[in-house]
Amino acid sequence: MIYTVTLNPAIDLVIVTKKLEPKVVNRTEKFELQPNGKGVNVSFILKKLGIDSVATGIGGGFTLDYVISGLAEKGIKTNFLKVKEPTRVNVFTDVLDEGTEYKQVNPGPVVSSDKQDQFLDYLESTVTKDDMVVVSGSFSRGIKPDFLVKLAQLVQKQGAKFVIDSSYLEVIDTLKYRPFLLKPNDSELAAFFNYEGEMTAAKTVELAQKLIKLGCQNVLVSLGADGAAFINKYHVLFANAPQIQVVNSACAGDTMLGTFIAFLEKNKPVSAALKMAVAAGSDTASRTGLTDFSLDELLPQISVEERMK
């Protein structure tokens, strides 16, 4: 089983408006409410591709209930621990006249150390060597970034695969526990090594290979408009991105990760997984919701190139 861990779930309010002016009533074109959180999105994508998962994490209030009901509607099992304060609501506004997207992301509820320990106990009692644990996104208030290390240690103890999509610098401290996959974007990859120069393709490979040498088994790097790269001991693969009109980029990385994992679970070649992941992530970025995997126009634009290590 795949367990997706979201320690700061959300409802995303996605607004499309012709214009956005101060101190007046702005009438919008449309809006959508979406159950969200990076791990939640991974579960949605896995389900679309026929892979079961359990969406778990910590949240609270009627907003968490909305997230849970959205997952249940798609047939996704859930097991969220609840706290008193409500799960957050984020706002993403696409202003058509400006061709600009505004992102307003709120903090999550306060989570006590007892609740964190309870969550670790749940994973320890549930996860087996045949499972995968995917932890994605930011943490709610009260959960320190080094919680990542506790998760990595626990998952290794259970013999399961550990996947991390997080910008916390403590990702580096998890490497001694040999995570199966890291999914940074290029800026996060640079920050892991305090690198402030230009992120060329060569530098991306160099830094990803440092992660491999430190213990990570596989690295999937999101390169935004330049596509993505996959690096491990055996491969250095680059895939270009198709041409799209970006509408809402919030969930593109989650889509990429979920698609990539699903194709690996189906024993597809890494190159095929990378190509589909880039196409699906790009399609999500071009709409207000997650991709429906109608990718016939995007896939022919993408090529995967194997480069020398």
Side-chain angles (χ1 to χ4, degrees):
M1 179 60 70
I2 297 175
Y3 294 87
T4 64
V5 177
T6 308
L7 295 172
N8 200 8
I11 295 174
D12 278 4
L13 171 59
V14 181
I15 298 169
V16 177
T17 185
K18 185 173 176 60
K19 57 186 178 180
L20 188 63
E21 298 178 348
K23 300 181 181 180
V24 299
V25 175
N26 291 278
R27 300 291 180 182
T28 66
E29 304 294 311
K30 62 177 181 177
F31 75 92
E32 292 184 18
L33 284 173
Q34 302 168 356
N36 212 289
K38 294 179 75 64
V40 168
N41 289 327
V42 171
S43 277
F44 279 131
I45 292 297
L46 290 171
K47 191 65 177 181
K48 286 172 178 280
L49 293 171
I51 304 293
D52 288 331
S53 68
V54 176
T56 184
I58 303 174
F62 73 97
T63 41
L64 179 64
D65 293 339
Y66 182 85
V67 173
I68 291 172
S69 68
L71 288 160
E73 285 177 6
K74 300 300 182 182
I76 299 169
K77 295 179 181 179
T78 63
N79 194 339
F80 282 86
L81 276 64
K82 294 190 175 182
V83 296
K84 290 183 180 180
E85 296 181 17
T87 281
R88 60 194 175 141
V89 178
N90 299 326
V91 181
F92 299 87
T93 305
D94 181 28
V95 184
L96 300 178
D97 282 358
E98 299 178 13
T100 301
E101 178 189 25
Y102 293 90
K103 304 178 183 182
Q104 295 171 291
V105 178
N106 291 304
V110 174
V111 178
S112 68
S113 58
D114 287 346
K115 188 65 68 174
Q116 295 171 45
D117 290 342
Q118 185 181 343
F119 183 74
L120 292 173
D121 290 343
Y122 158 69
L123 287 181
E124 187 172 16
S125 66
T126 306
V127 173
T128 72
K129 63 180 178 60
D130 298 319
D131 296 331
M132 175 185 291
V133 177
V134 183
V135 60
S136 302
S138 65
F139 296 166
S140 291
R141 288 175 291 171
I143 306 178
K144 296 180 180 178
D146 65 4
F147 194 71
L148 267 178
V149 182
K150 295 180 181 180
L151 288 169
Q153 186 177 23
L154 185 152
V155 174
Q156 186 193 59
K157 177 184 174 183
Q158 302 302 105
K161 294 178 179 177
F162 192 42
V163 177
I164 308 171
D165 180 6
S166 173
S167 61
Y168 293 128
L169 299 183
E170 283 75 7
V171 166
I172 294 296
D173 298 328
T174 72
L175 297 181
K176 61 184 176 183
Y177 300 107
R178 293 191 50 75
F180 175 71
L181 176 68
L182 299 185
K183 196 215 74 66
N185 60 36
D186 50 357
S187 297
E188 291 165 345
L189 179 59
F192 290 157
F193 296 101
N194 198 30
Y195 175 72
E196 298 180 353
E198 181 183 359
M199 281 298 288
T200 62
K203 180 58 70 171
T204 296
V205 174
E206 176 190 335
L207 297 184
Q209 288 179 333
K210 281 188 177 183
L211 294 175
I212 300 298
K213 291 177 181 177
L214 289 169
C216 182
Q217 298 178 53
N218 302 283
V219 182
L220 176 65
V221 186
S222 173
L223 302 174
D226 291 327
F230 174 81
I231 296 99
N232 64 13
K233 286 184 178 180
Y234 312 104
H235 296 286
V236 174
L237 300 174
F238 278 80
N240 67 291
Q243 293 295 313
I244 61 165
Q245 178 66 46
V246 174
V247 173
N248 178 22
S249 61
C251 305
D254 311 332
T255 299
M256 175 182 290
L257 179 58
T259 303
F260 190 81
I261 291 171
F263 268 63
L264 293 188
E265 287 291 295
K266 294 180 179 184
N267 295 314
K268 300 295 184 182
V270 171
S271 58
L274 182 61
K275 182 173 183 176
M276 185 62 72
V278 171
S282 299
D283 191 49
T284 287
S286 72
R287 57 176 72 213
T288 57
L290 297 175
T291 180
D292 62 2
F293 286 95
S294 299
L295 305 175
D296 290 346
E297 293 185 6
L298 299 183
L299 283 169
Q301 300 181 48
I302 302 170
S303 60
V304 177
E305 177 188 358
E306 176 91 47
R307 300 190 184 179
M308 296 295 292
K309 293 193 290 180

PDB file of all heavy atoms in Angstrom, residues 260-292:
ATOM      1  N   PHE A 260       4.511   9.841 -11.713  1.00  0.00           N
ATOM      2  CA  PHE A 260       5.786   9.115 -11.765  1.00  0.00           C
ATOM      3  C   PHE A 260       5.732   7.869 -10.889  1.00  0.00           C
ATOM      4  O   PHE A 260       6.124   6.773 -11.320  1.00  0.00           O
ATOM      5  CB  PHE A 260       6.921  10.041 -11.325  1.00  0.00           C
ATOM      6  CG  PHE A 260       8.298   9.488 -11.573  1.00  0.00           C
ATOM      7  CD1 PHE A 260       8.881   9.575 -12.826  1.00  0.00           C
ATOM      8  CD2 PHE A 260       9.010   8.887 -10.548  1.00  0.00           C
ATOM      9  CE1 PHE A 260      10.149   9.055 -13.065  1.00  0.00           C
ATOM     10  CE2 PHE A 260      10.278   8.369 -10.769  1.00  0.00           C
ATOM     11  CZ  PHE A 260      10.851   8.452 -12.028  1.00  0.00           C
ATOM     12  N   ILE A 261       5.228   8.014  -9.668  1.00  0.00           N
ATOM     13  CA  ILE A 261       5.121   6.867  -8.765  1.00  0.00           C
ATOM     14  C   ILE A 261       4.205   5.805  -9.347  1.00  0.00           C
ATOM     15  O   ILE A 261       4.507   4.597  -9.297  1.00  0.00           O
ATOM     16  CB  ILE A 261       4.608   7.325  -7.388  1.00  0.00           C
ATOM     17  CG1 ILE A 261       5.667   8.162  -6.674  1.00  0.00           C
ATOM     18  CG2 ILE A 261       4.218   6.124  -6.522  1.00  0.00           C
ATOM     19  CD1 ILE A 261       5.160   8.820  -5.402  1.00  0.00           C
ATOM     20  N   ALA A 262       3.070   6.232  -9.897  1.00  0.00           N
ATOM     21  CA  ALA A 262       2.115   5.272 -10.457  1.00  0.00           C
ATOM     22  C   ALA A 262       2.738   4.451 -11.570  1.00  0.00           C
ATOM     23  O   ALA A 262       2.535   3.229 -11.647  1.00  0.00           O
ATOM     24  CB  ALA A 262       0.877   6.011 -10.972  1.00  0.00           C
ATOM     25  N   PHE A 263       3.510   5.101 -12.435  1.00  0.00           N
ATOM     26  CA  PHE A 263       4.122   4.367 -13.542  1.00  0.00           C
ATOM     27  C   PHE A 263       5.211   3.423 -13.042  1.00  0.00           C
ATOM     28  O   PHE A 263       5.391   2.336 -13.593  1.00  0.00           O
ATOM     29  CB  PHE A 263       4.658   5.357 -14.584  1.00  0.00           C
ATOM     30  CG  PHE A 263       3.656   5.668 -15.652  1.00  0.00           C
ATOM     31  CD1 PHE A 263       2.453   6.285 -15.337  1.00  0.00           C
ATOM     32  CD2 PHE A 263       3.887   5.331 -16.973  1.00  0.00           C
ATOM     33  CE1 PHE A 263       1.506   6.561 -16.310  1.00  0.00           C
ATOM     34  CE2 PHE A 263       2.963   5.595 -17.968  1.00  0.00           C
ATOM     35  CZ  PHE A 263       1.759   6.208 -17.634  1.00  0.00           C
ATOM     36  N   LEU A 264       5.928   3.809 -12.010  1.00  0.00           N
ATOM     37  CA  LEU A 264       6.891   2.879 -11.423  1.00  0.00           C
ATOM     38  C   LEU A 264       6.176   1.689 -10.799  1.00  0.00           C
ATOM     39  O   LEU A 264       6.633   0.541 -10.917  1.00  0.00           O
ATOM     40  CB  LEU A 264       7.740   3.582 -10.367  1.00  0.00           C
ATOM     41  CG  LEU A 264       8.704   4.676 -10.838  1.00  0.00           C
ATOM     42  CD1 LEU A 264       9.592   5.118  -9.679  1.00  0.00           C
ATOM     43  CD2 LEU A 264       9.566   4.212 -12.008  1.00  0.00           C
ATOM     44  N   GLU A 265       5.042   1.940 -10.145  1.00  0.00           N
ATOM     45  CA  GLU A 265       4.265   0.855  -9.539  1.00  0.00           C
ATOM     46  C   GLU A 265       3.756  -0.115 -10.593  1.00  0.00           C
ATOM     47  O   GLU A 265       3.562  -1.304 -10.320  1.00  0.00           O
ATOM     48  CB  GLU A 265       3.093   1.431  -8.751  1.00  0.00           C
ATOM     49  CG  GLU A 265       3.486   2.107  -7.447  1.00  0.00           C
ATOM     50  CD  GLU A 265       3.973   1.120  -6.406  1.00  0.00           C
ATOM     51  OE1 GLU A 265       3.174   0.276  -5.964  1.00  0.00           O
ATOM     52  OE2 GLU A 265       5.171   1.192  -6.031  1.00  0.00           O
ATOM     53  N   LYS A 266       3.539   0.392 -11.803  1.00  0.00           N
ATOM     54  CA  LYS A 266       3.083  -0.451 -12.914  1.00  0.00           C
ATOM     55  C   LYS A 266       4.247  -1.064 -13.689  1.00  0.00           C
ATOM     56  O   LYS A 266       4.059  -1.656 -14.747  1.00  0.00           O
ATOM     57  CB  LYS A 266       2.212   0.377 -13.865  1.00  0.00           C
ATOM     58  CG  LYS A 266       0.902   0.851 -13.239  1.00  0.00           C
ATOM     59  CD  LYS A 266       0.083   1.667 -14.238  1.00  0.00           C
ATOM     60  CE  LYS A 266      -1.238   2.111 -13.626  1.00  0.00           C
ATOM     61  NZ  LYS A 266      -2.098   2.833 -14.605  1.00  0.00           N
ATOM     62  N   ASN A 267       5.463  -0.904 -13.135  1.00  0.00           N
ATOM     63  CA  ASN A 267       6.681  -1.465 -13.730  1.00  0.00           C
ATOM     64  C   ASN A 267       6.962  -0.942 -15.131  1.00  0.00           C
ATOM     65  O   ASN A 267       7.488  -1.657 -15.993  1.00  0.00           O
ATOM     66  CB  ASN A 267       6.602  -3.000 -13.747  1.00  0.00           C
ATOM     67  CG  ASN A 267       6.580  -3.585 -12.343  1.00  0.00           C
ATOM     68  OD1 ASN A 267       7.367  -3.186 -11.486  1.00  0.00           O
ATOM     69  ND2 ASN A 267       5.670  -4.519 -12.108  1.00  0.00           N
ATOM     70  N   LYS A 268       6.611   0.315 -15.378  1.00  0.00           N
ATOM     71  CA  LYS A 268       6.922   0.955 -16.652  1.00  0.00           C
ATOM     72  C   LYS A 268       8.366   1.458 -16.628  1.00  0.00           C
ATOM     73  O   LYS A 268       8.930   1.729 -15.566  1.00  0.00           O
ATOM     74  CB  LYS A 268       5.976   2.132 -16.902  1.00  0.00           C
ATOM     75  CG  LYS A 268       4.501   1.748 -16.960  1.00  0.00           C
ATOM     76  CD  LYS A 268       4.198   0.849 -18.146  1.00  0.00           C
ATOM     77  CE  LYS A 268       2.705   0.569 -18.243  1.00  0.00           C
ATOM     78  NZ  LYS A 268       2.392  -0.340 -19.373  1.00  0.00           N
ATOM     79  N   PRO A 269       9.000   1.587 -17.785  1.00  0.00           N
ATOM     80  CA  PRO A 269      10.366   2.130 -17.828  1.00  0.00           C
ATOM     81  C   PRO A 269      10.420   3.543 -17.238  1.00  0.00           C
ATOM     82  O   PRO A 269       9.455   4.303 -17.335  1.00  0.00           O
ATOM     83  CB  PRO A 269      10.696   2.142 -19.323  1.00  0.00           C
ATOM     84  CG  PRO A 269       9.763   1.153 -19.943  1.00  0.00           C
ATOM     85  CD  PRO A 269       8.512   1.197 -19.128  1.00  0.00           C
ATOM     86  N   VAL A 270      11.553   3.871 -16.639  1.00  0.00           N
ATOM     87  CA  VAL A 270      11.716   5.189 -16.029  1.00  0.00           C
ATOM     88  C   VAL A 270      11.498   6.297 -17.057  1.00  0.00           C
ATOM     89  O   VAL A 270      10.901   7.330 -16.748  1.00  0.00           O
ATOM     90  CB  VAL A 270      13.105   5.309 -15.377  1.00  0.00           C
ATOM     91  CG1 VAL A 270      13.364   6.738 -14.937  1.00  0.00           C
ATOM     92  CG2 VAL A 270      13.213   4.371 -14.181  1.00  0.00           C
ATOM     93  N   SER A 271      11.957   6.102 -18.279  1.00  0.00           N
ATOM     94  CA  SER A 271      11.799   7.131 -19.309  1.00  0.00           C
ATOM     95  C   SER A 271      10.327   7.380 -19.616  1.00  0.00           C
ATOM     96  O   SER A 271       9.904   8.526 -19.809  1.00  0.00           O
ATOM     97  CB  SER A 271      12.541   6.729 -20.586  1.00  0.00           C
ATOM     98  OG  SER A 271      12.074   5.480 -21.076  1.00  0.00           O
ATOM     99  N   ALA A 272       9.528   6.314 -19.646  1.00  0.00           N
ATOM    100  CA  ALA A 272       8.090   6.459 -19.888  1.00  0.00           C
ATOM    101  C   ALA A 272       7.421   7.152 -18.713  1.00  0.00           C
ATOM    102  O   ALA A 272       6.515   7.989 -18.889  1.00  0.00           O
ATOM    103  CB  ALA A 272       7.460   5.092 -20.135  1.00  0.00           C
ATOM    104  N   ALA A 273       7.841   6.813 -17.505  1.00  0.00           N
ATOM    105  CA  ALA A 273       7.291   7.446 -16.308  1.00  0.00           C
ATOM    106  C   ALA A 273       7.593   8.943 -16.305  1.00  0.00           C
ATOM    107  O   ALA A 273       6.728   9.770 -15.967  1.00  0.00           O
ATOM    108  CB  ALA A 273       7.852   6.783 -15.062  1.00  0.00           C
ATOM    109  N   LEU A 274       8.812   9.312 -16.696  1.00  0.00           N
ATOM    110  CA  LEU A 274       9.207  10.717 -16.714  1.00  0.00           C
ATOM    111  C   LEU A 274       8.415  11.496 -17.755  1.00  0.00           C
ATOM    112  O   LEU A 274       7.925  12.597 -17.495  1.00  0.00           O
ATOM    113  CB  LEU A 274      10.703  10.832 -16.996  1.00  0.00           C
ATOM    114  CG  LEU A 274      11.281  12.250 -17.002  1.00  0.00           C
ATOM    115  CD1 LEU A 274      11.090  12.922 -15.645  1.00  0.00           C
ATOM    116  CD2 LEU A 274      12.767  12.224 -17.380  1.00  0.00           C
ATOM    117  N   LYS A 275       8.267  10.930 -18.934  1.00  0.00           N
ATOM    118  CA  LYS A 275       7.518  11.609 -19.999  1.00  0.00           C
ATOM    119  C   LYS A 275       6.073  11.841 -19.600  1.00  0.00           C
ATOM    120  O   LYS A 275       5.530  12.938 -19.757  1.00  0.00           O
ATOM    121  CB  LYS A 275       7.594  10.785 -21.287  1.00  0.00           C
ATOM    122  CG  LYS A 275       6.877  11.438 -22.476  1.00  0.00           C
ATOM    123  CD  LYS A 275       7.133  10.657 -23.761  1.00  0.00           C
ATOM    124  CE  LYS A 275       6.478  11.333 -24.953  1.00  0.00           C
ATOM    125  NZ  LYS A 275       6.789  10.639 -26.229  1.00  0.00           N
ATOM    126  N   MET A 276       5.423  10.822 -19.070  1.00  0.00           N
ATOM    127  CA  MET A 276       4.026  10.961 -18.659  1.00  0.00           C
ATOM    128  C   MET A 276       3.897  11.927 -17.491  1.00  0.00           C
ATOM    129  O   MET A 276       2.936  12.701 -17.424  1.00  0.00           O
ATOM    130  CB  MET A 276       3.463   9.593 -18.286  1.00  0.00           C
ATOM    131  CG  MET A 276       1.979   9.611 -17.948  1.00  0.00           C
ATOM    132  SD  MET A 276       0.920  10.123 -19.324  1.00  0.00           S
ATOM    133  CE  MET A 276       1.051   8.666 -20.383  1.00  0.00           C
ATOM    134  N   ALA A 277       4.859  11.904 -16.574  1.00  0.00           N
ATOM    135  CA  ALA A 277       4.811  12.795 -15.415  1.00  0.00           C
ATOM    136  C   ALA A 277       4.893  14.257 -15.838  1.00  0.00           C
ATOM    137  O   ALA A 277       4.179  15.114 -15.309  1.00  0.00           O
ATOM    138  CB  ALA A 277       5.942  12.460 -14.453  1.00  0.00           C
ATOM    139  N   VAL A 278       5.768  14.562 -16.801  1.00  0.00           N
ATOM    140  CA  VAL A 278       5.891  15.935 -17.292  1.00  0.00           C
ATOM    141  C   VAL A 278       4.616  16.359 -18.011  1.00  0.00           C
ATOM    142  O   VAL A 278       4.118  17.481 -17.820  1.00  0.00           O
ATOM    143  CB  VAL A 278       7.115  16.071 -18.216  1.00  0.00           C
ATOM    144  CG1 VAL A 278       7.116  17.435 -18.909  1.00  0.00           C
ATOM    145  CG2 VAL A 278       8.399  15.896 -17.419  1.00  0.00           C
ATOM    146  N   ALA A 279       4.062  15.479 -18.825  1.00  0.00           N
ATOM    147  CA  ALA A 279       2.827  15.808 -19.546  1.00  0.00           C
ATOM    148  C   ALA A 279       1.679  16.058 -18.575  1.00  0.00           C
ATOM    149  O   ALA A 279       0.933  17.040 -18.713  1.00  0.00           O
ATOM    150  CB  ALA A 279       2.473  14.673 -20.506  1.00  0.00           C
ATOM    151  N   ALA A 280       1.530  15.192 -17.590  1.00  0.00           N
ATOM    152  CA  ALA A 280       0.430  15.332 -16.642  1.00  0.00           C
ATOM    153  C   ALA A 280       0.588  16.579 -15.785  1.00  0.00           C
ATOM    154  O   ALA A 280      -0.375  17.312 -15.535  1.00  0.00           O
ATOM    155  CB  ALA A 280       0.345  14.088 -15.765  1.00  0.00           C
ATOM    156  N   GLY A 281       1.816  16.845 -15.323  1.00  0.00           N
ATOM    157  CA  GLY A 281       2.056  18.046 -14.534  1.00  0.00           C
ATOM    158  C   GLY A 281       1.780  19.310 -15.326  1.00  0.00           C
ATOM    159  O   GLY A 281       1.201  20.275 -14.812  1.00  0.00           O
ATOM    160  N   SER A 282       2.168  19.306 -16.586  1.00  0.00           N
ATOM    161  CA  SER A 282       1.916  20.462 -17.443  1.00  0.00           C
ATOM    162  C   SER A 282       0.426  20.664 -17.667  1.00  0.00           C
ATOM    163  O   SER A 282      -0.075  21.799 -17.658  1.00  0.00           O
ATOM    164  CB  SER A 282       2.625  20.274 -18.790  1.00  0.00           C
ATOM    165  OG  SER A 282       4.025  20.172 -18.624  1.00  0.00           O
ATOM    166  N   ASP A 283      -0.308  19.573 -17.855  1.00  0.00           N
ATOM    167  CA  ASP A 283      -1.751  19.681 -18.057  1.00  0.00           C
ATOM    168  C   ASP A 283      -2.438  20.239 -16.824  1.00  0.00           C
ATOM    169  O   ASP A 283      -3.338  21.081 -16.934  1.00  0.00           O
ATOM    170  CB  ASP A 283      -2.328  18.306 -18.412  1.00  0.00           C
ATOM    171  CG  ASP A 283      -3.765  18.394 -18.887  1.00  0.00           C
ATOM    172  OD1 ASP A 283      -4.049  19.228 -19.770  1.00  0.00           O
ATOM    173  OD2 ASP A 283      -4.610  17.633 -18.375  1.00  0.00           O
ATOM    174  N   THR A 284      -2.014  19.809 -15.637  1.00  0.00           N
ATOM    175  CA  THR A 284      -2.580  20.368 -14.412  1.00  0.00           C
ATOM    176  C   THR A 284      -2.315  21.867 -14.323  1.00  0.00           C
ATOM    177  O   THR A 284      -3.190  22.640 -13.927  1.00  0.00           O
ATOM    178  CB  THR A 284      -1.995  19.647 -13.182  1.00  0.00           C
ATOM    179  OG1 THR A 284      -2.567  18.330 -13.096  1.00  0.00           O
ATOM    180  CG2 THR A 284      -2.306  20.390 -11.895  1.00  0.00           C
ATOM    181  N   ALA A 285      -1.120  22.296 -14.707  1.00  0.00           N
ATOM    182  CA  ALA A 285      -0.779  23.723 -14.641  1.00  0.00           C
ATOM    183  C   ALA A 285      -1.616  24.561 -15.605  1.00  0.00           C
ATOM    184  O   ALA A 285      -1.739  25.772 -15.424  1.00  0.00           O
ATOM    185  CB  ALA A 285       0.705  23.925 -14.941  1.00  0.00           C
ATOM    186  N   SER A 286      -2.195  23.926 -16.616  1.00  0.00           N
ATOM    187  CA  SER A 286      -2.960  24.651 -17.633  1.00  0.00           C
ATOM    188  C   SER A 286      -4.449  24.746 -17.315  1.00  0.00           C
ATOM    189  O   SER A 286      -5.219  25.260 -18.117  1.00  0.00           O
ATOM    190  CB  SER A 286      -2.776  23.981 -19.003  1.00  0.00           C
ATOM    191  OG  SER A 286      -3.475  22.744 -19.051  1.00  0.00           O
ATOM    192  N   ARG A 287      -4.858  24.251 -16.144  1.00  0.00           N
ATOM    193  CA  ARG A 287      -6.282  24.254 -15.784  1.00  0.00           C
ATOM    194  C   ARG A 287      -6.435  24.591 -14.305  1.00  0.00           C
ATOM    195  O   ARG A 287      -5.464  24.700 -13.579  1.00  0.00           O
ATOM    196  CB  ARG A 287      -6.903  22.894 -16.103  1.00  0.00           C
ATOM    197  CG  ARG A 287      -6.196  21.715 -15.406  1.00  0.00           C
ATOM    198  CD  ARG A 287      -6.904  20.400 -15.662  1.00  0.00           C
ATOM    199  NE  ARG A 287      -6.733  19.928 -17.032  1.00  0.00           N
ATOM    200  CZ  ARG A 287      -7.656  19.251 -17.691  1.00  0.00           C
ATOM    201  NH1 ARG A 287      -8.805  18.966 -17.109  1.00  0.00           N
ATOM    202  NH2 ARG A 287      -7.433  18.840 -18.920  1.00  0.00           N
ATOM    203  N   THR A 288      -7.680  24.716 -13.848  1.00  0.00           N
ATOM    204  CA  THR A 288      -7.927  25.067 -12.457  1.00  0.00           C
ATOM    205  C   THR A 288      -7.958  23.844 -11.541  1.00  0.00           C
ATOM    206  O   THR A 288      -7.881  23.979 -10.325  1.00  0.00           O
ATOM    207  CB  THR A 288      -9.258  25.826 -12.304  1.00  0.00           C
ATOM    208  OG1 THR A 288     -10.321  25.025 -12.834  1.00  0.00           O
ATOM    209  CG2 THR A 288      -9.202  27.158 -13.012  1.00  0.00           C
ATOM    210  N   GLY A 289      -8.054  22.658 -12.105  1.00  0.00           N
ATOM    211  CA  GLY A 289      -8.054  21.435 -11.320  1.00  0.00           C
ATOM    212  C   GLY A 289      -6.960  20.498 -11.782  1.00  0.00           C
ATOM    213  O   GLY A 289      -6.109  20.854 -12.600  1.00  0.00           O
ATOM    214  N   LEU A 290      -7.000  19.274 -11.247  1.00  0.00           N
ATOM    215  CA  LEU A 290      -5.993  18.284 -11.624  1.00  0.00           C
ATOM    216  C   LEU A 290      -6.250  17.750 -13.031  1.00  0.00           C
ATOM    217  O   LEU A 290      -7.381  17.756 -13.530  1.00  0.00           O
ATOM    218  CB  LEU A 290      -6.005  17.123 -10.628  1.00  0.00           C
ATOM    219  CG  LEU A 290      -5.629  17.462  -9.185  1.00  0.00           C
ATOM    220  CD1 LEU A 290      -5.814  16.234  -8.299  1.00  0.00           C
ATOM    221  CD2 LEU A 290      -4.206  17.983  -9.092  1.00  0.00           C
ATOM    222  N   THR A 291      -5.216  17.256 -13.667  1.00  0.00           N
ATOM    223  CA  THR A 291      -5.312  16.692 -15.011  1.00  0.00           C
ATOM    224  C   THR A 291      -6.359  15.582 -15.078  1.00  0.00           C
ATOM    225  O   THR A 291      -6.591  14.859 -14.105  1.00  0.00           O
ATOM    226  CB  THR A 291      -3.955  16.130 -15.462  1.00  0.00           C
ATOM    227  OG1 THR A 291      -4.080  15.587 -16.770  1.00  0.00           O
ATOM    228  CG2 THR A 291      -3.458  15.041 -14.514  1.00  0.00           C
ATOM    229  N   ASP A 292      -6.967  15.436 -16.252  1.00  0.00           N
ATOM    230  CA  ASP A 292      -7.839  14.281 -16.497  1.00  0.00           C
ATOM    231  C   ASP A 292      -7.132  13.241 -17.373  1.00  0.00           C
ATOM    232  O   ASP A 292      -7.744  12.283 -17.825  1.00  0.00           O
ATOM    233  CB  ASP A 292      -9.159  14.712 -17.136  1.00  0.00           C
ATOM    234  CG  ASP A 292      -8.970  15.370 -18.507  1.00  0.00           C
ATOM    235  OD1 ASP A 292      -7.812  15.454 -18.989  1.00  0.00           O
ATOM    236  OD2 ASP A 292      -9.975  15.816 -19.103  1.00  0.00           O
TER     237      ASP A 292
END
